[in-house]
Amino acid sequence: MTNDNFEPVIIGFTCNWCSYRAADMAGTARMKYAPNIRLIRLMCSGRLDPTFIFKALAGGADGILISGCHPGDCHYIEQNYKALRRFQLTKRVLIQMGMEPERLKLFWASAAEGAFLTSEINKFVKVIRELGPLNWNENNFRVQIPIHSIEEEVLA
Amino acid sequence: MTEKIGVYICHCGTNIAGVVDVQDVSRWVGKELASEGVVIARDYKFMCSSLGQELIQKDIQELGLTRVVVGACSPHLHESTFRNACKEVGLNPYLCELVSLREQDSWVHSDKNAATDKAKAIISGGVSRVIYHEELEPLKVPINPNTLVVGGGIAGIQAALEIADAGYHVYLVEREPSIGGHMAQFDKTFPTLDCSACILTPKMVQVGNHPNITLLTWSEVVNVEGYVGSFDVTVNKKARFIKTDTCTGCGICWEKCPKKVVDEVFEVGMANRKAIYTPFPQAVPKYPVIDAENCTYFINGKCKACEKFCPTGAIDFNQKDEEVIIKVGNIIIATGYDLFDAKRIPQYGCGRYDNVYTSLEFERLSNAAGPTGGNIILKDGKTIPKSVGIVHCVGSRDQNYNEYCSSICCMQSLKFAHLVHERTGAEVYNFYIDIRTPGKGYEEFYNRLLEERTNFVRGKVAEISSFARIPEEEGKLIIQVEDTLISKQRRIPVDMVILSSGLQSRSDAKEVAKMFGISCSAENWYIERHPKLDPIATMTEGIYIAGCAQGPKDIPASVAQGAAAAARVMGKIQQKEISLEPIRATINEEQCSGCRICNDICPFNAILYHEDKMTSEINPALCQGCGTCVAACPAGAISGTGFSNEQVLSQIEGLLLLKSLENEYSYSGD
Amino acid sequence: MKSYAYYPGCSLESLGKNYHISAMEVASKLGLDLQEISDWNCCGATAYYPIDELLAYTLSARNLAIAEQTGLIDFVAPCSACYKNAYSTNKLLKSDPELAEHINYALEADNLKITGSMNVRHLIEVFLEDVGLEEIKHKAIKPLKDIKVAPYYGCQMIRPRKGDENVENPMFFEELISAIGATPIDFSSKTRCCGGSLIITNRSAALDMVSKLLQDATSNNADVIATTCPMCNVNLELYQRQVNHEFGTNYSIPVMYFTQLMGFALGSTEKALKIPRDFFSKISLNIGMEPS
């Protein structure tokens, strides 16, 4: 597979109060960004479970973008700090597993920063396009992270 | 059992259909996602219309749909519309998911093919997710009929009176010794030129006498706990050093007090008050306060003149601050504004030249109860000015200071011009960028000023200095400005300058917002729930904002907002019980190992630890649904309704469905 | 003793020679070592930038590169125009690596390279920040009592704004004047332009600006105007007769470099500072002086 026609797929996690609203604002203002990104709305960036990131990467995403409220502005007061901590740890683990660090990015965007969000998305898509596809999906190997409740496994 | 999912794709006129091939998406969904449970996929011009909603309702009834996915605009706009439509025909509203194909797709992408592919992925994500949605019921909380109004300016006063008149109890907390706010400082109000105190004081007296209003002045809110319907608010009542049940407000104490202090607050530094004082004669309540920092007794133990002369023995130097906790169901924050500090613009000479006044200073000058008895005279105390310059937009519409327009300064500047004409007959120059007179009677007021022969110079003032270049300029303040209507630089000598300083948020707005759990904008005005359609509610249930605390506005708008907030609160009180969104977290007791990691993560203290059972439990009324504990629990014992692990993981799977489909197809090619 | 890379600039070699001499006097009295950088070139002043920006930057870049080779950290210019040019060039090249590379390509021919390591400062800044008002006051053994000085900052030293300093109403020059015992007068046009090189290209416009400055300074009974730039000094001093001729005024006020005033207060002789003999005692007695 050559890189000439490669278009990355990016999964973006946004928070309901700030970054998702920023994305809405970008839409209302008709700002344009690359269609490679697909956004998921969480109530808060603090909701971000590292499992989500692994699932997305294993499922075929080439890059993950995370965005929440600026520190100090979290609608739930301080949960974006927790998101930040988790992001740092997750990134380290992923690097140890052999992933390029540029594939996971976190930035803060307030509800008014539609333009900033747009430019960050475009920048990120460009970076991932140059990095090429994530090599975990070789030979169509698809990692199954079960989405059923964990009870069934623990009972043993 | 597989669910029966109905998918509805909205054209939104051409907003979505103009970029995304909605028919193709609809066909694709019907075919490719049938294995996921989709039994019907439709596209329609305007899903939010009643006809669009009826489409969904008909399908629910006839096809027995158990889940609904709508691909349309942002959930922030119509999620409740579609949820209600489902509810009406008996499908639990939380089994309906709205995914955005407009703000997140058609409006931000120009490549039609890519946008259509993305739309397919988004719908697929929504379908995968909705399978894991559960039936949820909104949480009901009781509403305490008491209300707290923070701030005793005109907006707060209006709100308090409306609620109290309707028969409900109000606590009005005000930081200064008297209510009245900035409006009490003004002389006349535009455009009617009503005397400000004359229209304000009857309302103030009503508040003071109202059986349903508990007035707590010289007090501040220090802590807020709880949630809508049951807030516990701690108010610090600062010591007045006056026994209010014996004080008659006779005023002998402040007459006899020997200590003069510059009144920086009410008189804006232009006049003195005593160490024991009421800020102005019509103060409500009438009880004075003792300024302990400047009182001779508190400084060195001497004097006590007030105590000696008080006929009812109402002075009590031993009084202490008192903290009280009040229980209320709703809170209205109406804390007002601060004036932009014109000293930040040194070229305008504020603080350097005697006869440069800010707007509030001039209000005091022209007010009959002010330091000069209402005479507009120069700092020397006797000279009547023969020429006055009024500068608009000081600190506003200025990228160096505040970019926004402060809304009231043009009208205020015209009012000043009129008062100067009327009282002194001086030549008046107004220096403006634009004349903004949007309200009722405002443009007519401007015309009146034109007829009064006010000189209007369109240009932003560059500098105000006292250096004369020609004999006519000696002893005057020279305003240097480019008159853009005649394209000439002008030097205009005047006796007095009035700077119409802009409005700013209160200096402690950010701390106050944090205490109440609301947010501030970049300029520290409190943020409303929706700038167009809901200017008085905040994102936090039960807390409302009114008046200039929400943004600069004139008196009629502040009054309207105060009344609107009151109406909203009364609506809630009348319902006695309101429903909260059931987006909450719950802990599965069996899986909880009692590690207590979640306890400290919750900023709302919603998680309790039970010592006896050695497990944690979440209080659903306090939980705000952020989901951080869900992500943090190492045992996976916490699930979040509305954004559970299953839902998000399957949404991810759905969003990537296309890619793995592609891979399946390309595998056979390798 | 702290050393500085000293860039006098063209004017200080000719019309502004007394600025250079008095600057060296003051530096030695205050214990500072101003080392003139070798083989420096003209900075382009106010004239070159509108003609060819790239070459104008290169001129200043070359001076900065020479200074970098000395290993010293501070690049000190007594002339406000040289100072502004050096500061702006230094700042621009630090933020635009492509431009820096382009210019370095030219500088290579002289075995020079600019990296942006110099700290560009005006002479007055060095006295105020590195020596300090207290020290200057302490060393002012002949304070200029009863002498009223108009502090003329000029426009290029203050603007463009470099940090968050006060550009509308700076007071540091007044503080320096007070430290040497003189009385600074209130001078509202202290940061207004003197006309600069307009004095050559559009004489009447510049004379108008000069006359307004003179009027402002004299209206508060200044005995002398203190300057920080040779162009300002020349415009204000040498053209007073022309202003008088053009506008029918009667100005006759001495204009001196601040270093001449400082030098005298610190104990140097009039001769060493290139000031007329008994100058300060004469003006304090309000005897009219011809502009030197």
Side-chain angles (χ1 to χ4, degrees):
Chain A
M1 200 170 10
T2 60
N3 277 352
D4 291 346
N5 299 325
F6 165 63
E7 279 303 324
V9 173
I10 317 277
I11 296 286
F13 293 95
T14 55
C15 77
N16 182 56
W17 304 100
C18 282
S19 40
Y20 188 82
R21 280 181 196 263
D24 271 357
M25 187 210 166
T28 322
R30 313 295 195 275
M31 299 184 203
K32 301 286 179 235
Y33 52 82
N36 310 62
I37 187 163
R38 293 162 196 182
L39 295 178
I40 289 184
R41 177 174 73 122
L42 300 170
M43 287 311 278
C44 179
S45 51
R47 174 71 187 89
L48 183 67
D49 192 323
T51 324
F52 300 163
I53 299 177
F54 290 121
K55 175 79 179 180
L57 290 170
D62 302 297
I64 308 283
L65 206 53
I66 305 165
S67 183
C69 306
H70 287 273
D73 290 344
C74 179
H75 180 78
Y76 303 101
I77 306 178
E78 55 195 30
Q79 309 310 78
N80 47 2
Y81 290 103
K82 283 128 195 178
L84 184 64
R85 298 202 294 242
R86 269 186 223 135
F87 160 76
Q88 312 268 28
L89 272 174
T90 312
K91 196 164 192 182
R92 279 198 203 184
V93 170
L94 286 167
I95 291 171
Q96 284 171 1
M97 288 166 99
M99 186 187 86
E100 300 95 322
E102 294 83 8
R103 292 192 189 267
L104 181 66
K105 185 171 180 186
L106 173 90
F107 67 94
W108 309 118
S110 74
E113 289 180 303
F116 177 62
L117 185 91
T118 307
S119 71
E120 286 297 307
I121 291 174
N122 284 333
K123 270 200 309 209
F124 190 67
V125 170
K126 202 162 160 239
V127 164
I128 302 297
R129 199 182 281 123
E130 275 159 32
L131 278 177
L134 185 63
N135 281 329
W136 288 358
N137 229 359
E138 270 181 296
N139 304 317
N140 204 29
F141 168 69
R142 190 173 160 187
V143 173
Q144 283 280 6
I145 295 180
I147 52 175
H148 308 291
S149 36
I150 300 182
E151 288 175 290
E152 297 169 43
E153 290 157 9
V154 166
L155 278 175
Chain B
M1 165 193 135
T2 35
E3 306 297 339
K4 292 200 176 121
I5 308 173
V7 176
Y8 302 88
I9 300 167
C10 185
H11 296 211
C12 194
T14 52
N15 279 314
I16 298 178
V19 179
V20 171
D21 185 347
V22 285
Q23 274 110 355
D24 180 32
V25 175
S26 175
R27 268 193 308 265
W28 182 89
V29 167
K31 184 160 156 274
E32 300 295 334
L33 296 182
S35 53
E36 298 274 324
V38 173
V39 299
I40 184 89
R42 297 188 197 277
D43 60 275
Y44 183 64
K45 269 206 163 21
F46 291 106
M47 282 308 301
C48 55
S49 66
S50 36
L51 285 174
Q53 292 181 51
E54 273 163 34
L55 268 181
I56 302 176
Q57 293 175 323
K58 201 152 153 287
D59 283 347
I60 294 175
Q61 287 163 327
E62 288 176 9
L63 300 174
L65 295 181
T66 55
R67 298 283 187 276
V68 169
V69 174
V70 182
C73 52
S74 169
H76 283 133
L77 288 171
H78 277 305
E79 192 169 61
S80 40
T81 313
F82 296 114
R83 285 193 172 163
N84 280 336
C86 294
K87 189 165 166 203
E88 276 168 25
V89 289
L91 183 68
N92 185 296
Y94 295 94
L95 298 176
C96 168
E97 173 79 358
L98 170 57
V99 290
S100 172
L101 295 180
R102 194 181 68 171
E103 283 86 343
Q104 306 286 332
D105 192 6
S106 69
W107 272 356
V108 288
H109 303 313
S110 30
D111 177 341
K112 291 193 183 169
N113 288 332
T116 307
D117 280 345
K118 183 167 169 177
K120 292 175 185 167
I122 293 176
I123 300 273
S124 147
V127 166
S128 304
R129 184 191 213 281
V130 85
I131 296 173
Y132 291 94
H133 277 210
E134 289 165 355
E135 290 186 354
L136 298 171
E137 289 302 325
L139 198 63
K140 294 216 185 288
V141 287
I143 300 287
N144 182 325
N146 298 337
T147 311
L148 168 66
V149 176
V150 184
I154 186 64
I157 288 174
Q158 187 68 29
L161 283 174
E162 301 251 354
I163 299 175
D165 280 346
Y168 301 111
H169 196 84
V170 178
Y171 293 95
L172 178 53
V173 173
E174 164 59 51
R175 168 151 68 177
E176 295 300 322
S178 164
I179 52 175
H182 281 297
M183 194 176 163
Q185 294 172 292
F186 301 161
D187 175 28
K188 302 261 190 295
T189 55
F190 55 76
T192 49
L193 297 173
D194 281 312
C195 151
S196 184
C198 306
I199 55 177
L200 176 65
T201 41
K203 285 200 193 259
M204 284 169 57
V205 168
Q206 253 189 299
V207 168
N209 292 337
H210 210 295
N212 282 336
I213 300 182
T214 304
L215 188 53
L216 298 166
T217 55
W218 201 232
S219 306
E220 276 184 271
V221 174
V222 293
N223 191 33
V224 179
E225 295 202 2
Y227 48 92
V228 61
S230 33
F231 288 109
D232 288 314
V233 181
T234 312
V235 177
N236 181 29
K237 293 168 64 176
K238 294 185 282 190
R240 284 184 118 95
F241 305 108
I242 307 285
K243 287 188 272 214
T244 52
D245 44 3
T246 23
C247 173
T248 58
C250 67
I252 289 183
C253 52
W254 66 77
E255 230 184 86
K256 297 294 182 189
C257 174
K259 184 71 182 285
K260 291 208 181 97
V261 180
V262 175
D263 185 351
E264 298 285 359
V265 179
F266 191 77
E267 296 286 1
V268 211
M270 306 250 292
N272 291 333
R273 57 165 169 82
K274 300 292 180 69
I276 181 170
Y277 70 104
T278 56
F280 49 97
Q282 307 97 323
V284 169
K286 56 182 185 273
Y287 317 118
V289 300
I290 297 184
D291 173 8
E293 273 178 29
N294 286 300
C295 166
T296 313
Y297 172 73
F298 283 107
I299 295 175
N300 58 23
K302 303 218 172 62
C303 185
K304 284 199 179 185
C306 49
E307 195 184 51
K308 277 196 240 19
F309 286 99
C310 175
T312 55
I315 311 283
D316 177 8
F317 290 107
N318 296 318
Q319 227 179 51
K320 298 267 174 270
D321 289 356
E322 189 194 336
E323 269 192 11
V324 294
I325 299 186
I326 54 179
K327 289 185 180 303
V328 293
N330 292 283
I331 300 176
I332 299 176
I333 303 179
T335 45
Y337 67 88
D338 272 342
L339 203 65
F340 171 81
D341 182 7
K343 292 199 193 66
R344 288 172 63 189
I345 309 183
Q347 313 82 296
Y348 287 174
C350 181
R352 262 192 304 144
Y353 298 122
D354 276 344
N355 288 305
V356 172
Y357 295 91
T358 62
S359 40
L360 274 180
E361 285 172 357
F362 184 77
E363 291 280 2
R364 295 313 303 153
L365 204 57
S366 72
N367 191 309
T372 57
N375 293 312
I376 298 177
I377 45 179
L378 299 181
K379 230 5 174 305
D380 61 7
K382 45 188 170 68
T383 321
I384 299 175
K386 295 215 188 54
S387 50
V388 176
I390 303 175
V391 183
H392 295 218
C393 304
V394 174
S396 306
R397 303 187 67 190
D398 191 333
Q399 285 191 342
N400 297 314
Y401 305 101
N402 293 320
E403 254 190 77
Y404 56 83
C405 167
S406 288
S407 167
I408 51 98
C409 325
C410 274
M411 280 307 293
Q412 173 191 265
S413 306
L414 293 175
K415 173 184 79 174
F416 291 159
H418 173 79
L419 290 174
V420 169
H421 280 307
E422 198 181 56
R423 309 243 183 110
T424 65
E427 193 74 31
V428 178
Y429 299 88
N430 278 54
F431 301 93
Y432 68 98
I433 304 177
D434 293 287
I435 296 282
R436 297 192 158 172
T437 50
K440 236 179 178 171
Y442 288 12
E443 183 70 14
E444 293 87 331
F445 190 66
Y446 171 52
N447 282 324
R448 181 175 171 183
L449 266 298
L450 284 170
E451 280 168 24
E452 283 177 14
R453 301 188 158 276
T454 316
N455 300 291
F456 284 97
V457 176
R458 190 184 77 179
K460 196 169 153 103
V461 170
E463 190 186 46
I464 296 172
S465 85
S466 61
F467 278 85
R469 287 198 191 150
I470 47 176
E472 288 80 15
E473 291 179 0
E474 285 293 335
K476 304 248 183 209
L477 289 169
I478 298 123
I479 300 180
Q480 171 120 7
V481 63
E482 182 195 357
D483 188 336
T484 57
L485 289 173
I486 56 174
S487 299
K488 269 187 158 37
Q489 282 267 349
R490 290 176 71 174
R491 281 172 67 90
I492 302 180
V494 294
D495 292 319
M496 178 194 273
V497 171
I498 308 171
L499 301 174
S500 272
S501 308
L503 305 188
Q504 278 185 169
S505 50
R506 289 278 185 193
S507 51
D508 60 350
K510 217 164 178 155
E511 285 79 39
V512 170
K514 215 165 178 180
M515 182 164 59
F516 285 94
I518 60 176
S519 330
C520 285
S521 68
E523 295 93 12
N524 284 341
W525 303 109
Y526 298 132
I527 297 189
E528 58 285 292
R529 191 170 269 247
H530 192 279
K532 285 287 198 190
L533 301 175
D534 208 351
I536 49 103
T538 61
M539 294 299 192
T540 309
E541 285 283 347
I543 303 195
Y544 306 92
I545 49 179
C548 283
Q550 185 257 355
K553 56 180 64 71
D554 56 13
I555 292 169
S558 298
V559 168
Q561 281 199 347
R568 188 68 69 85
V569 164
M570 286 193 279
K572 296 279 187 274
I573 297 175
Q574 296 241 327
Q575 288 176 52
K576 298 205 170 65
E577 197 179 59
I578 58 163
S579 306
L580 297 178
E581 279 285 311
I583 311 286
R584 300 270 180 278
T586 42
I587 298 180
N588 182 331
E589 236 192 285
E590 282 175 15
Q591 288 171 335
C592 174
S593 64
C595 71
R596 304 189 67 178
I597 286 181
C598 57
N599 290 187
D600 291 325
I601 274 195
C602 181
F604 304 101
N605 296 320
I607 309 186
L608 305 153
Y609 180 65
H610 294 295
E611 295 277 354
D612 48 341
K613 289 189 264 184
M614 299 233 295
T615 55
S616 299
E617 191 194 347
I618 298 177
N619 177 344
L622 285 175
C623 172
Q624 300 283 319
C626 71
T628 312
C629 56
V630 182
C633 177
I638 311 184
S639 50
T641 53
F643 290 87
S644 69
N645 278 342
E646 292 85 10
Q647 288 166 7
V648 181
L649 287 170
S650 60
Q651 186 179 11
I652 295 175
E653 224 177 69
L655 283 177
L656 294 170
L657 185 64
L658 277 182
K659 185 118 196 245
S660 56
L661 280 178
E662 271 170 37
N663 282 341
E664 278 173 24
Y665 296 137
S666 68
Y667 179 56
S668 55
D670 276 1
Chain C
M1 188 184 286
K2 190 164 176 198
S3 300
Y4 302 84
Y6 177 64
Y7 172 68
C10 310
S11 310
L12 269 70
E13 300 262 282
S14 52
L15 270 181
K17 191 87 182 183
N18 39 0
Y19 192 6
H20 172 74
I21 292 174
S22 53
M24 300 307 264
E25 270 291 313
V26 172
S28 89
K29 283 268 188 280
L30 293 178
L32 303 175
D33 172 31
L34 300 176
Q35 288 179 13
E36 190 173 324
I37 58 177
S38 62
D39 195 31
W40 51 265
N41 53 266
C42 171
C43 73
T46 47
Y48 207 6
Y49 279 83
I51 298 176
D52 190 316
E53 238 182 56
L54 178 64
L55 294 184
Y57 286 132
T58 314
L59 284 178
S60 290
R62 185 171 174 279
N63 291 322
L64 288 164
I66 293 172
E68 284 182 23
Q69 279 187 339
T70 61
L72 294 169
I73 320 167
D74 295 289
F75 180 98
V76 180
C79 163
S80 296
C82 302
Y83 163 67
K84 178 183 147 291
N85 289 343
Y87 188 96
S88 310
T89 304
N90 205 33
K91 184 170 173 188
L92 179 67
L93 293 184
K94 277 202 283 215
S95 67
D96 190 345
E98 273 180 39
L99 181 62
E101 209 184 294
H102 193 57
I103 289 181
N104 274 327
Y105 174 64
L107 294 180
E108 253 174 58
D110 227 0
N111 290 322
L112 290 170
K113 182 177 161 129
I114 178 168
T115 63
S117 65
M118 297 308 291
N119 193 11
V120 178
R121 309 168 73 189
H122 192 284
L123 186 63
I124 195 173
E125 245 183 282
V126 169
F127 293 151
L128 286 170
E129 287 171 17
D130 292 7
V131 179
L133 290 169
E134 278 305 307
E135 175 87 359
I136 293 172
K137 195 166 172 187
H138 182 68
K139 288 201 161 130
I141 51 182
K142 285 198 282 178
L144 303 175
K145 268 188 346 123
D146 299 330
I147 295 186
K148 295 198 275 302
V149 181
Y152 182 53
Y153 292 76
C155 66
Q156 297 206 77
M157 178 167 60
I158 302 291
R159 298 188 276 275
R161 189 197 293 260
K162 311 205 174 41
D164 54 5
E165 76 274 18
N166 189 341
V167 297
E168 292 296 341
N169 188 19
M171 293 299 281
F172 59 83
F173 201 172
E174 281 88 334
E175 285 166 11
L176 179 61
I177 290 169
S178 301
I180 57 172
T183 312
I185 59 140
D186 213 357
F187 185 16
S188 81
S189 313
K190 61 191 181 185
T191 55
R192 290 274 175 95
C193 179
C194 66
S197 49
L198 280 182
I199 203 78
I200 301 163
T201 52
N202 188 343
R203 176 81 43 105
S204 52
L207 286 181
D208 186 45
M209 294 167 89
V210 169
S211 85
K212 294 206 172 72
L213 289 170
L214 291 172
Q215 184 187 17
D216 260 344
T218 52
S219 68
N220 270 345
N221 302 315
D223 294 318
V224 60
I225 302 179
T227 59
T228 58
C229 167
M231 186 86 236
C232 300
N233 201 73
V234 160
N235 280 5
L236 286 177
E237 183 177 33
L238 300 189
Y239 290 88
Q240 283 184 31
R241 283 214 186 91
Q242 285 220 10
V243 164
N244 289 339
H245 180 73
E246 185 89 9
F247 297 99
T249 47
N250 201 9
Y251 298 117
S252 171
I253 175 166
V255 182
M256 322 204 70
Y257 293 104
F258 78 98
T259 42
Q260 290 176 305
L261 296 171
M262 275 181 84
F264 188 80
L266 293 170
S268 298
T269 62
E270 283 105 335
K271 188 158 183 229
L273 296 166
K274 300 289 177 209
I275 309 174
R277 205 145 48 100
D278 299 331
F279 173 77
F280 286 110
S281 40
K282 283 199 184 138
I283 60 170
S284 70
L285 291 174
N286 286 321
I287 295 176
M289 288 294 301
E290 285 291 303
S292 56

